[in-house]
Each structure stands twice: as structure tokens, then as C-alpha cells.
């Protein structure tokens, strides 16, 4: 069986599979660890494995390589890219920095290494509010994702300038106000959980707003049997697996990230067999991006393994 071959190669090569919560169910089930962007970064930073197979989109694999310059990071499908991450280029960053020279640049983890290299801080959807609220600045530049920018502004009371102003995740934009209203009618007993990449109008109708892992924890801790999940549909697999007695429904079946689904078990097997595609990040860019990540981990109280070496 494919899974057995993969497990055999993982042991033989001292490798691990880290998979994002939006991956296909069979990929999640074969992974050593599944999580949101922050959890996967921490796992990548702390693993003792020599090879990391990253089942996620391009910026996630890049980030694992930035945090593990001495390890081999394999991305099973080069074409698995995040359309949101590509909306904020280093040139756009430079333009807004010139316009707002005093504002710190907070970059969403969903961005490329070359953009992270220019950042003061790098945040995830689960860490953004905690980090921005600690900054000694009332105005910050944030990108890409105008919806997460407005969420951070709502939660911190600070002025958050989205760069570029219209950046958004095309998958979360499919979760509309109409979807949420229809779900509320269909499942009146359910709690509605949505991701901060959803629009402010959608967030206003939700019972809970959080990252994918925060949603999973919410299902575990809330005293309710039914949930409507307002994020990419891949998260339903994890929720149903962890809490089989609870019922979880998608806010819309349209919220599918085709890029996340490009990674299959066949491609993971090929990645292990042929050791491809090896993720490499220019050293200078990686060093600068790592510094921004380290500053952010410090604000979160996350232990950085190499700081003790
Ligand atoms: S769901 Fe959106 S932000 Fe996440 S990888 Fe897909 S396009 Fe990028």
C-alpha cells in the first residue's frame, strides 16, 4: 500500500511529513503532524528529523527551509502555491514603506521569503493580534490580506494599513454573508466558526473567529454538538476525526483551496523516493526572514531551539 511505502521511506530516511490542516484527508492521515501555520513552523523548528516533507503551499515549505537551513526540506508539488502570498511583492513593500516610514512592517506568514526578509515581524492568523498589540506603534503596515488587517485593527484598536489594499484569499472570499445566513437557518443549534481571512461582514455574523487550530480547539471546548466551519473544507476532516461525537458542516462546499489539494500521496512518495523538490532559499534572504521570525517568536514566548546552542 502507498501509505506503507511512505512510512517505510520516512523511517529509512529519518524524515517527517508536516501537513497543513487544509490538506487532503489521506495526506493528513499519513502525516506525522498536522496543524496551522504557527504550529507547523514550531514543529519544523523543533524536529530532530533530517528530512522534512512539507505538505502545504509554497510559502510554508519555504518557511520550514528558512527555519532549518541545515535540513533537507522537500515540497512534493512545486505548483502548489498560495495566490494570496503572491499578492505582496518586495516592490509593493518598498512603495508603502516609503509612504509610511515610521510604521513597522508586520507581514502575514502567507508571504514569500523575499517579502518576509523585509519585515519587522511575521505573524500567523493565530498570533497576529497578540504580536501587534505588543508593538510600540499605533500605526502598522500589514499584508497581504485586507480582511486579516481589518480583524487586527478591530481587536487591537490600532491603525492597520493593508498592503496591497485589496489583497485577499480567494478561498475565504467564497464564504459569503449569504452562506452564513443560510447555514444559520439550516443549523439553528450550531455555533458558527470562521477564519479571520473572511470579510468583516461574515465575521460579524459568526460566534467564533480564529485560525484553523483555534477552531479545532473551540469545537473541543464549547458545549455544543453542532458546528458550521467557515474556512477551507479540509479542516472538517480533522474536526470530525478528533471529535467524532460532534457534527461539523461546511459554511460552503465552494471553499476549496485547489493549490492545497495538488499534493497527493503519490507525490509524497515520489518526493521521498527521488528527494525532490528540494526547497532552497537564498542565504541572505533566509537570514533576514529568520530574524523577523525570531523577533516574532520571542514576543509569543516561543522557545527558539538554536538560541540555546
Ligand atoms: S486557503 Fe487561501 S491563504 Fe490558504 S493557501 Fe489557499 S489561497 Fe492561500
Amino acid at each position: 500500500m502507498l501509505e506503507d511505502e511512505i512510512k517505510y521511506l520516512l523511517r529509512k530516511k529519518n524524515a517527517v511529513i508536516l501537513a497543513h490542516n487544509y490538506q487532503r484527508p489521506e495526506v493528513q492521515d499519513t502525516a506525522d503532524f498536522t496543524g496551522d501555520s504557527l504550529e507547523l513552523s514550531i514543529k519544523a523548528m523543533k524536529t530532530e528529523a533530517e528530512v522534512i516533507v512539507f505538505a502545504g503551499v509554497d510559502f510554508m515549505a519555504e518557511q520550514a527551509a528558512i527555519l532549518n537551513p541545515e535540513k533537507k526540506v522537500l515540497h512534493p508539488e512545486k505548483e502548489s502555491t498560495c495566490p494570496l502570498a503572491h499578492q505582496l511583492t518586495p516592490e509593493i513593500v518598498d512603495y508603502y514603506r516609503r509612504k509610511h516610514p515610521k510604521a513597522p512592517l508586520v507581514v502575514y506568514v502567507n508571504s514569500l521569503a523575499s517579502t518576509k526578509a523585509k519585515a519587522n515581524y511575521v505573524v500567523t492568523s493565530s498570533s497576529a493580534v497578540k504580536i501587534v498589540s505588543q508593538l510600540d506603534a499605533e500605526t502598522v503596515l500589514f499584508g497581504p490580506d485586507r480582511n486579516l488587517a481589518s480583524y487586527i485593527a478591530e481587536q487591537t484598536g490600532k491603525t492597520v494599513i493593508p498592503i496591497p489594499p485589496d489583497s485577499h484569499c480567494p478561498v475565504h472570499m467564497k464564504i459569503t454573508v449569504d452562506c452564513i445566513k443560510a447555514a444559520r437557518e439550516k443549523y439553528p443549534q450550531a455555533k458558527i466558526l470562521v477564519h479571520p481571512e473572511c470579510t468583516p461582514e461574515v465575521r460579524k455574523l459568526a460566534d467564533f473567529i480564529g485560525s484553523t487550530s483555534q477552531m479545532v480547539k473551540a469545537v473541543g471546548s464549547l458545549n455544543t454538538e453542532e458546528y458550521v466551519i467557515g474556512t477551507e473544507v479540509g479542516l472538517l476532516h480533522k474536526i470530525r476525526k478528533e471529535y467524532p461525537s460532534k457534527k461539523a458542516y461546511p459554511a460552503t462546499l465552494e471553499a476549496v483551496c485547489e493549490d492545497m489539494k495538488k499534493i497527493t500521496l503519490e507525490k509524497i512518495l515520489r518526493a521521498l523516493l527521488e528527494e525532490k523538490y528540494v526547497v532552497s532559499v537564498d542565504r541572505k534572504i533566509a537570514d533576514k526572514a529568520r530574524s523577523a521570525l525570531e523577533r516574532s517568536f520571542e514576543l509569543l514566548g516561543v522557545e527558539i531551539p538554536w538560541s540555546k546552542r
Side-chain angles (χ1 to χ4, degrees):
M1 250 172 77
L2 210 50
E3 286 88 340
D4 296 331
E5 282 182 70
I6 290 172
K7 294 275 179 215
Y8 168 75
L9 285 169
L10 288 172
R11 275 195 305 275
K12 192 172 161 201
K13 297 190 177 223
N14 188 18
V16 286
I17 301 174
L18 304 184
H20 190 267
N21 289 329
Y22 295 159
Q23 288 291 301
R24 292 167 180 272
E26 64 276 18
V27 171
Q28 292 190 36
D29 291 345
T30 310
D32 295 278
F33 184 80
T34 58
D36 65 12
S37 297
L38 178 61
E39 290 172 329
L40 292 174
S41 297
I42 295 172
K43 210 71 188 174
M45 198 164 59
K46 297 191 170 171
T47 182
E48 296 292 327
E50 288 165 57
V51 179
I52 298 171
V53 180
F54 209 104
V57 289
D58 53 353
F59 75 82
M60 297 177 173
E62 245 187 15
Q63 176 141 317
I66 290 166
L67 293 170
N68 292 279
E70 75 291 354
K71 290 183 181 161
K72 191 175 272 183
V73 177
L74 301 174
H75 192 208
E77 173 52 70
K78 274 204 288 195
E79 300 300 316
S80 172
T81 60
C82 169
L84 171 62
H86 289 261
Q87 290 169 33
L88 181 59
T89 62
E91 293 73 26
I92 295 176
V93 166
D94 291 343
Y95 172 78
Y96 283 97
R97 288 215 106 163
R98 279 196 298 274
K99 272 182 92 171
H100 304 278
K102 291 197 179 131
L105 174 66
V106 180
V107 157
Y108 192 20
V109 67
N110 297 34
S111 58
L112 302 174
S114 50
T115 298
K116 286 188 180 112
K118 291 181 174 276
N120 298 104
Y121 299 95
V122 178
V123 302
T124 66
S125 53
S126 63
S127 70
V129 170
K130 197 169 174 189
I131 288 183
V132 172
S133 60
Q134 290 181 67
L135 301 184
D136 187 19
E138 283 313 304
T139 301
V140 301
L141 291 170
F142 176 82
D145 197 77
R146 66 170 193 238
N147 294 317
L148 182 54
S150 69
Y151 179 68
I152 299 168
E154 283 163 19
Q155 297 296 311
T156 62
K158 298 194 178 191
T159 303
V160 181
I161 301 169
I163 59 167
D166 60 347
S167 48
H168 61 273
C169 161
V171 177
H172 286 89
M173 292 300 279
K174 292 197 174 143
I175 302 166
T176 61
V177 165
D178 285 349
C179 297
I180 302 297
K181 284 185 177 163
R184 191 68 91 190
E185 241 181 78
K186 194 167 176 193
Y187 308 111
Q189 308 300 328
K191 291 272 186 229
I192 297 185
L193 320 184
V194 305
H195 195 277
E197 284 174 27
C198 292
T199 63
E201 295 76 19
V202 164
R203 294 198 306 261
K204 250 181 228 141
L205 298 176
D207 299 303
F208 177 90
I209 302 162
S211 73
T212 54
S213 291
Q214 286 169 333
M215 285 190 213
V216 176
K217 283 187 194 118
V219 172
S221 62
L222 294 173
N223 195 17
T224 305
E225 290 310 306
E226 292 182 273
Y227 297 86
V228 171
I229 305 300
T231 190
E232 210 275 348
V233 295
L235 188 65
L236 288 159
H237 176 70
K238 182 158 181 170
I239 290 175
R240 288 169 179 158
K241 199 170 155 184
E242 289 203 14
Y243 303 105
S245 65
K246 299 205 173 186
K247 292 197 174 84
Y249 316 106
T252 168
L253 282 168
E254 300 278 299
V256 177
C257 181
E258 299 294 347
D259 276 280
M260 284 281 185
K261 309 303 186 213
K262 284 178 184 166
I263 294 178
T264 59
L265 287 183
E266 287 78 7
K267 288 177 185 172
I268 288 177
L269 179 63
R270 186 192 61 189
L272 280 161
L273 279 171
E274 300 176 19
E275 303 223 342
K276 70 179 193 185
Y277 299 94
V278 178
V279 182
S280 77
V281 181
D282 173 88
R283 225 185 78 196
K284 275 192 192 148
I285 287 179
D287 287 348
K288 284 188 188 161
R290 195 179 314 108
S291 298
L293 285 161
E294 284 172 1
R295 277 192 292 279
S296 313
F297 284 137
E298 272 163 29
L299 288 185
L300 291 174
V302 172
E303 190 184 288
I304 303 166
W306 51 85
S307 67
K308 296 195 295 188
R309 284 176 202 154

